[in-house]
Each structure stands twice: as C-alpha cells, then as structure tokens.
Amino acid sequence: MTSASLGPSHTPALGDEGLALELRGISKAFGPVQANKDISIQVRRGTIHGIIGENGAGKSTLMSILYGFYKADAGEIYIGGRRTEIPDSQTAIASGIGMVFQHFKLVPNFTVLENVVLGAEDGAMLRPSLAKARKLLTDLAHEYEMDVDPDAVVEDLSVGLQQRVEILKALYREADILILDEPTGVLTPAEADHLFRILRGLRDQGKTIILITHKLREIMEITDSVSVMRRGEMTATVQTAKTSPEQLAELMVGRKVLLRVDKAPATPGDTVLEVRNLQVVNSQGVEKLRGIDLDLRAGEILGIAGVAGNGQSELLQVLGGYASGTGSIRIKGQEIDLTGTASDARTRRARGIAHVPEDRQREGLIMDFHAWENIAFGYHDDARYGSAFHMDNAAMREDCAGKMERFDVRPPDPSLEAKNFSGGNQQKIVLAREIERDPDLLLIGQPTRGVDIGAIEFIHQQIVALRDRGKAILLVSVELDEIMGLSDRIAVLFDGRIMGERLPSETDQGELGLLMAGMSGEAA
Ligand code: ADP
Ligand code: MG
C-alpha cells in the first residue's frame, strides 16, 4: 500500500512522516492454527483505521502482538517510521501505544484515579504524585470531553464509563496510537455514539486510532480507512469512502453476502400469542417484568429490542416454561400455566412452542453430547425416534444427518460432540431442531450472537421462511440492525416494561435507541 505520490523506484520510506504505524509481514501460529499470516498494514497518523473480520480472523492476535502480549513468529513493526521491538506491554506503552481491551482490565474496587495511575507510577511514588495525577486526569477528561469523577469507585460505574476510564488511562500514559478491540459490544447505542464522538475528537487532536470490529456499520460510520482480515490473512486495505458494506462483507467472507434481509411484507393471520399483564419476579426478588402486554399473529415476526438485562431473558424464559410468572399467556386462545413446574418446558413444546434460547451453550445444547443426541434433545418422545422403552439411535442419527444438511451445519457429522462445532454451527444445530418441529410459535433469543456474517445471512433466511409458512416468531435481540431487518413490528423493552411499539418502516435507530434508554414515546 505505497502512497501514490511516491515515485515508482521509491520503496516505502521508513521515515515516512505520515505513518503512525506500519506492520510488515507479521505471522503468528498457535500450534496448527495460523492466526496471522504475512500481514502488512500501514496506518496514517491522525486517522481512524478499522480492522474488520469475522470471529477467529486473527484481529485480536495481531493487536496482541502490537501490544507485546504475543511474540510474532516473523515480521517487523515500525512506529513513527522507526523499527521497534515490542517484547512486552511496558515497551508498547513506552512506544506510545495504548490498548482498550474487550474485557476491561480495571481493578473494580479502586477509584478511577487509582486505576488510571496504577502501573504508571512506581509504588513508592504513588502517594505524592496523586495530586499531580488528579490534575492531569481532570485536564485530560476536560480536553476530550470524557467527564468522569476521579473519586468514583470503578465497580459503581456503568460499562460505558468504565470504558472511558480505560481510554483515559491510555491517554494518561501518553498514548499516541490507541487500539480499541470490539469496543461497542458492551455499549448501548447512545454510549456507542458518545464513544465515537470521543474517538473523532482524539483523531482531530492528532491521535491515531485503530478500531477492531466485526460490525460493518461502525466501519462505515467512523473510520477513514479499513483493513479486512479473513482466516489470518489481510485481504485488502481500502479507503472507507471508496468502499461499501457489500464489498467489505465479500472481502470478509470470500463470497457475495446478502446484507439486507430479503423479505416480502408480512401477511399476518390469526392471533397465536396473547400476553396480558405478565409479571416476573426473579429469585432475588427483583421485578424483571412489570406488566407486559403483547399480541403476536401467525405469519409475523415481533422483534423485542432493548439493552441486555431489561427483562428480555425473563420474557423468553417464562414463555418457554423455564420461569414462573403471573398474569396471562394464551396460545391460540388457550391459557397456559405460568406457575412453572419442572415439566413446563415440555408442556410448552407439546403446545407448539419452540425455543431457541439466548445462551445456546448453557440452555440450547449439552456440550459433551453428540450432535445427534442434541438434535433430539427435548423431543425424545417423538414417535420417529422409537418408543420410551426403546430409543432408535439409528433413526436419530439419520434424522440428524438430514437436518445438518438442510441447515448447512459444518462439518455435517452427527457423531461429533456439540462442543466441537463453531458458535455459528452450534446455533444452526439448535435452529434445525426447533424450526423443523414446525412450531406455531418460535421464541428466538440472540439468534446470531457470535455468528459469522455468512451464517447470519442463512439464519435470517430460515427465520423469514418460517414466518412465510405462517408461523409466529418472537425475536429477542440486542442487535438493532437485526431487529430492524427482521421484524414486522418492534416492541422496545426497558426496565421490565414495553416503552413503545413501532413499525420498522416508521422508525429509525435513533428513536429506538431513545426508547431503549427509557425515554418515553413523546420525548423520542
Ligand atoms: P479475532 O479477534 O479476529 O476473532 P483471534 O485473533 O482471537 O481472532 O483468533 C485467531 C485464531 O487464533 C482463532 O482460530 C483462534 O482460535 C486462535 N487463537 C487465538 N489466540 C489463541 C491462543 N492463545 N491459543 C491458541 N489459539 C489461539
Ligand atoms: Mg477478537
């Protein structure tokens, strides 16, 4: 990626003024896995450079090499044009690199100030320098509009604020190059917007930002240039203004991907699900649902939007028969029992409710069991699988092989244990099991969490196809793009209440974001 202004005989200059960072031929293997293969990137000073790629593409490995956590097997790092060895993170920090991790590394019961100073000063120096540090921190927070109380205890702060502390900590160490690894995964839309404003501000002050994400929208919204990784390789580096989400997706996956959910308008039929004044109190006595009313008809997808933890999980659990509640739920006009005895999940299945739980590894699969056992899980009383006295294992295996083929599970091997499939393929196993029951109502939580975009396309198509066969679908997702793309109607859940209902065609992410933050319909 040589600058166009350089002459043809000019090799990329090491002292190139414009480059904050250059990686040349970085390779790294973990045993048989080639996590990074001959990766070269140039990042210009004062820009926001995105690194995008699917799960496992090698993004975090590359950044860990840059931050001195891993030693590359081959390759060179240049910082500000100078060849730099980075054997450990102290050297990375001394070279002006700051990193904000996917999982924060703050000390929860320390204050903001203590966390920021920690490690930056020698222990003996800590106390006398605190006053100076406080001033520096306050100045930084002011300069970059990152208000945060230096004396607040970190564990009392929201995730968004904790992330701000991580950024301040890097700036306190005079980072010139700031690396953020999937920073928005834990944020509300409003917090993500705020983060992006902060990052633009930092760039305008001359800092260089490397933003790692698997979200195309974020790349398009905030980066100046972007490098795409696929299976350990760098497939392209492009100017963001000169690319499109479609092109990036193709570079990520290696084939054309349909990004928009392709669906005809819904043609809803009879009411399948009626929820009235549904209340759920969890085992700690906390009210998680505070009187929910919902209607869902056949041939319709109702999306439940909300920041995680606002009652969505409890809604799925009580509907699926895994939690008890009060109020009323009717399926096709018939009341169901909400008292929640152990056999309820099975009763629900018998009533035509299928459930793809949010946490597929804990609730959707038994990880040590084979795929063929998992695909019959919950449905062992199916006549096709033999009788209660004699389970027909061969029939189950054969049934599993068919489902795996139809749902494109890779590898299509019924005798593999669930834990040996990737996240996306585990999800397809659960989907195959639940969708092929041909339920009247499908409850589906976070259908594409941790799933690659190629598989997301497939999963979305299956959900729409089920709708088009006249089934009712209740979709819970924290991904607004997914809610907007799939739903025929959207209800927003906040603090155990429905804040409002919208048609996707008559709302946008901004309005939904406000509802998700608890602003009333009028304010939104
Ligand atoms: P990304 O951040 O793009 O999701 P990673 O860099 O985390 O990808 O992983 C790239 C590949 O390297 C994956 O196949 C992953 O399983 C593997 N990998 C990452 N870290 C390790 C490690 N410490 N030991 C073994 N394999 C690893
Ligand atoms: Mg990663």
Side-chain angles (χ1 to χ4, degrees):
M1 246 18 67
T2 310
S3 160
S5 61
L6 299 173
S9 64
H10 192 111
T11 49
L14 297 189
D16 196 328
E17 283 296 282
L19 289 187
L21 170 73
E22 181 175 6
L23 301 178
R24 289 193 192 176
I26 298 282
S27 291
K28 172 77 185 170
F30 295 105
V33 178
Q34 193 69 46
N36 286 164
K37 197 155 126 200
D38 192 20
I39 298 215
S40 299
I41 322 184
Q42 296 185 327
V43 179
R44 300 213 3 221
R45 197 184 302 285
T47 63
I48 301 180
H49 188 95
I51 296 189
I52 194 164
E54 300 195 293
N55 292 312
K59 308 178 294 293
S60 294
T61 300
L62 189 64
M63 292 305 121
S64 298
I65 289 169
L66 190 52
Y67 201 62
F69 275 176
Y70 294 141
K71 185 180 177 338
D73 301 333
E76 296 164 1
I77 298 171
Y78 295 83
I79 295 181
R82 236 178 318 140
R83 171 88 193 263
T84 309
E85 296 286 344
I86 306 182
D88 49 42
S89 50
Q90 281 73 29
T91 312
I93 292 166
S95 311
I97 297 175
M99 181 120 161
V100 176
F101 290 92
Q102 224 163 347
H103 306 285
F104 306 145
K105 297 201 186 294
L106 300 173
V107 184
N109 57 351
F110 277 26
T111 65
V112 169
L113 181 62
E114 288 163 345
N115 265 286
V116 165
V117 174
L118 194 73
E121 322 277 340
D122 290 334
M125 292 289 292
L126 195 60
R127 214 153 276 287
S129 63
L130 269 184
K132 223 174 81 201
R134 175 186 298 274
K135 165 118 182 46
L136 188 54
L137 173 63
T138 318
D139 289 350
L140 279 172
H142 187 73
E143 185 177 354
Y144 298 109
E145 291 174 54
M146 283 190 272
D147 266 346
V148 43
D149 173 8
D151 299 314
V153 176
V154 158
E155 65 193 350
D156 296 336
L157 298 178
S158 71
V159 172
L161 284 175
Q162 291 190 23
Q163 188 177 60
R164 235 176 263 180
V165 177
E166 284 271 13
I167 296 173
L168 283 167
K169 186 170 172 168
L171 294 174
Y172 183 86
R173 288 162 176 63
E174 301 180 339
D176 258 334
I177 303 173
L178 194 61
I179 305 168
L180 296 102
D181 194 348
E182 305 270 4
T184 61
V186 290
L187 302 182
T188 65
E191 287 173 330
D193 279 350
H194 194 130
L195 172 67
F196 285 179
R197 277 206 302 283
I198 291 169
L199 295 184
R200 287 193 191 98
L202 288 167
R203 172 187 61 190
D204 296 344
Q205 306 264 352
K207 304 282 185 196
T208 305
I209 314 277
I210 299 181
L211 174 73
I212 302 170
T213 179
H214 64 277
K215 294 182 183 168
L216 291 163
R217 200 161 49 81
E218 295 180 350
I219 291 288
M220 297 309 293
E221 184 179 332
I222 195 183
T223 65
D224 300 298
S225 50
V226 51
S227 296
V228 185
M229 293 187 70
R230 178 169 84 232
R231 294 188 187 168
E233 294 185 63
M234 189 66 78
T235 51
T237 294
V238 289
Q239 300 291 309
T240 309
K242 292 186 184 149
T243 188
S244 63
E246 288 76 15
Q247 188 194 18
L248 290 175
E250 191 173 343
L251 288 165
M252 277 166 74
V253 182
R255 63 173 174 83
K256 283 209 185 306
V257 180
L258 201 59
L259 290 178
R260 264 169 223 294
V261 181
D262 200 9
K263 70 188 207 317
T267 50
D270 296 338
T271 299
V272 172
L273 172 70
E274 289 172 83
V275 175
R276 293 292 176 268
N277 194 25
L278 180 62
Q279 307 195 22
V280 172
V281 177
N282 74 5
S283 51
Q284 281 94 51
V286 180
E287 264 189 280
K288 299 302 284 189
L289 290 180
R290 304 165 187 264
I292 300 275
D293 296 321
L294 289 173
D295 287 283
L296 175 55
R297 294 161 70 186
E300 186 183 43
I301 300 174
L302 173 64
I304 307 288
V307 178
N310 279 281
Q312 302 95 314
S313 305
E314 289 75 13
L315 178 62
L316 285 176
Q317 282 162 4
V318 73
L319 285 167
Y322 294 94
S324 55
T326 59
S328 137
I329 298 177
R330 285 162 173 267
I331 297 290
K332 293 176 133 182
Q334 291 210 312
E335 201 79 33
I336 57 177
D337 177 22
L338 298 183
T339 54
T341 54
S343 69
D344 256 7
R346 214 161 113 206
T347 324
R348 296 290 202 284
R349 284 191 283 269
R351 297 283 293 274
I353 303 178
H355 187 182
V356 177
E358 289 183 295
D359 185 345
R360 63 182 160 257
Q361 302 205 335
R362 289 206 351 244
E363 296 168 0
L365 294 164
I366 302 179
M367 299 307 277
D368 288 333
F369 281 26
H370 301 118
W372 66 268
E373 292 166 303
N374 270 292
I375 230 154
F377 183 44
Y379 299 106
H380 288 90
D381 44 4
D382 188 323
R384 278 180 303 168
Y385 299 149
S387 71
F389 305 104
H390 176 73
M391 298 298 287
D392 186 345
N393 289 356
M396 285 204 247
R397 276 175 204 272
E398 199 183 303
D399 179 60
C400 179
K403 286 192 169 87
M404 288 178 125
E405 194 192 319
R406 289 187 293 280
F407 276 77
D408 191 30
V409 177
R410 287 178 231 176
D413 179 358
S415 55
L416 216 55
E417 287 162 10
K419 63 177 177 224
N420 293 322
F421 291 89
S422 71
N425 284 295
Q426 289 171 357
Q427 183 70 318
K428 286 186 199 169
I429 292 174
V430 180
L431 277 166
R433 179 181 74 214
E434 301 298 328
I435 286 183
E436 294 219 346
R437 301 304 301 188
D438 210 25
D440 295 320
L441 169 64
L442 177 69
L443 310 171
I444 184 162
Q446 320 298 349
T448 57
R449 178 183 278 166
V451 171
D452 291 340
I453 53 177
I456 290 177
E457 175 191 19
F458 180 85
I459 290 171
H460 285 173
Q461 284 166 349
Q462 298 307 310
I463 294 172
V464 171
L466 187 70
R467 180 202 74 167
D468 291 343
R469 292 202 298 275
K471 309 304 180 175
I473 293 158
L474 186 87
L475 163 75
V476 167
S477 175
V478 293
E479 296 288 344
L480 264 187
D481 286 332
E482 179 160 61
I483 291 280
M484 294 282 280
L486 275 177
S487 309
D488 300 308
R489 271 187 304 130
I490 300 169
V492 181
L493 204 53
F494 172 74
D495 196 22
R497 290 196 179 87
I498 304 278
M499 288 301 295
E501 241 188 70
R502 297 286 186 275
L503 295 175
S505 57
E506 291 171 5
T507 188
D508 55 32
Q509 302 222 352
E511 187 192 24
L512 293 177
L514 287 175
L515 290 168
M516 284 163 67
M519 317 276 185
S520 74
E522 290 74 57

